[in-house]
Amino acid sequence: MTKEMEEFKKSSAARLMLIVVIGLIVLKIVVAVITGSISILAQAVDSFLDLFAVAITFITIKISAKPADEEHPFGHGKVENIAAAVQAVLIFTAGGLIIYSAVQKIITGAKVELAEAGIGIMLFSMIASIFLSRHLFKVARGVDSIALQANAQNIAADVYSTAAVLAGLVAVRLTGLNILDPIIAILVAFLIL
């Protein structure tokens, strides 16, 4: 595979991540507002931070593609390692914010409305994340990209937290125990961390 083909595959994967992540953020925010669910909002925050990670990846892929120069005689490939470290910081930030918000909802009492809408969006999000992470893992292995690998792992982790939110919303719908929503949000935060 030529260097140009590798860069094309990296850029294409980064664009796909951008489109999917923005779409999921919009859907989750809308449904979080409609339902009042903190666990869906936690998912939206996580997806929003994924968007930052995608932007960082996209930028680093462009930088790492630059040929070696006087200041960087071995090329610019190490910038991808920096991107992976920044993504780790974003993940820890998301976890802390979600825990704080969930505790506030427990204290004030949270009610989830229209849980069915949340259930549908979480199911859609889980399926989209599975397909996206598999694609990213495949591309990352093919072009040896640490940044794409980090994004693929982050999105794969989202599948587990989305499944937890989905299960929580189903439990809220079946039992009427609204406190389950912020408890699930805290569990999501620990999964993210």
Side-chain angles (χ1 to χ4, degrees):
M1 185 181 313
T2 66
K3 183 78 170 165
E4 291 81 21
M5 182 56 81
E6 283 185 5
E7 296 311 317
F8 174 77
K9 285 189 173 193
K10 285 181 182 181
S11 294
S12 295
R15 278 189 209 97
L16 178 63
M17 280 190 297
L18 187 62
I19 292 166
V20 171
V21 170
I22 288 173
L24 291 176
I25 290 169
V26 170
L27 288 173
K28 289 174 185 177
I29 289 172
V30 168
V31 173
V33 169
I34 291 169
T35 63
S37 169
I38 188 68
S39 62
I40 296 174
L41 186 59
Q43 278 288 300
V45 167
D46 186 36
S47 294
F48 188 70
L49 290 174
D50 289 345
L51 177 61
F52 282 116
V54 169
I56 290 167
T57 299
F58 193 71
I59 292 166
T60 58
I61 286 171
K62 294 236 182 242
I63 293 170
S64 69
K66 291 180 182 179
D69 55 31
E70 283 185 26
E71 291 180 25
H72 305 94
F74 299 105
H76 297 81
K78 294 292 182 187
V79 74
E80 289 194 30
N81 294 339
I82 295 168
V86 169
Q87 289 175 30
V89 170
L90 291 174
I91 289 168
F92 283 109
T93 301
L97 290 173
I98 292 165
I99 290 169
Y100 174 79
S101 298
V103 168
Q104 293 301 313
K105 285 284 188 176
I106 290 171
I107 292 169
T108 61
K111 295 206 179 213
V112 176
E113 304 291 332
L114 299 169
E116 298 83 2
I119 291 167
I121 290 303
M122 289 299 98
L123 185 59
F124 175 78
S125 178
M126 191 167 64
I127 293 168
S129 295
I130 288 169
F131 282 110
L132 180 60
S133 66
R134 286 183 181 175
H135 176 70
L136 294 177
F137 277 123
K138 181 180 176 183
V139 173
R141 282 190 297 272
V143 298
D144 194 29
S145 172
I146 294 171
L148 284 177
Q149 177 81 18
N151 273 286
Q153 289 173 336
N154 189 15
I155 292 169
D158 287 349
V159 172
Y160 298 110
S161 61
T162 303
V165 172
L166 176 62
L169 290 170
V170 169
V172 167
R173 174 67 178 96
L174 295 176
T175 67
L177 295 172
N178 286 300
I179 195 165
L180 293 175
D181 185 58
I183 291 171
I184 294 296
I186 292 170
L187 293 175
V188 167
F190 284 118
L191 284 172
I192 289 169
L193 294 173

